[in-house]
Amino acid sequence: MAAGTIRYWAAAKAAAGIAEEPYAAATLAEALEAVRERHPGELTRVLQRCSFLIDGDPVGTRGHETVRLAEGGTVEVLPPFAGG
């Protein structure tokens, strides 16, 4: 299990009510499951439309259970936005 930071942007930040929080998880899937448990409701819906960067690299279409998280890493949660 690794520890790092999840950063929320735009609509994800608004839905979470915070800009960032720590994670303790081995994979992106585990980290997102913990986020859903901590923030039920709107953030769970927003996450369905988000893309993710792991330490600056796009996750793309890879299964979240296959995306390993690094100690001290960063998960960027990027909802779709107009003009981008």
Side-chain angles (χ1 to χ4, degrees):
M1 185 172 303
T5 303
I6 298 175
R7 292 193 181 127
Y8 301 106
W9 296 97
K13 181 178 173 181
I18 54 174
E20 63 182 48
E21 65 182 324
Y23 70 74
T27 66
L28 178 57
E30 290 175 10
L32 293 177
E33 182 58 32
V35 165
R36 289 181 190 99
E37 289 175 10
R38 284 191 303 272
H39 306 281
E42 183 61 23
L43 183 56
T44 297
R45 289 184 287 281
V46 171
L47 288 175
Q48 294 172 351
R49 299 182 307 274
C50 287
S51 57
F52 304 93
L53 297 177
I54 307 299
D55 300 326
D57 294 323
V59 171
T61 60
R62 290 182 288 161
H64 294 169
E65 67 282 350
T66 69
V67 179
R68 306 289 301 169
L69 300 179
E71 182 68 29
T74 302
V75 176
E76 307 279 350
V77 180
L78 306 168
F81 57 95

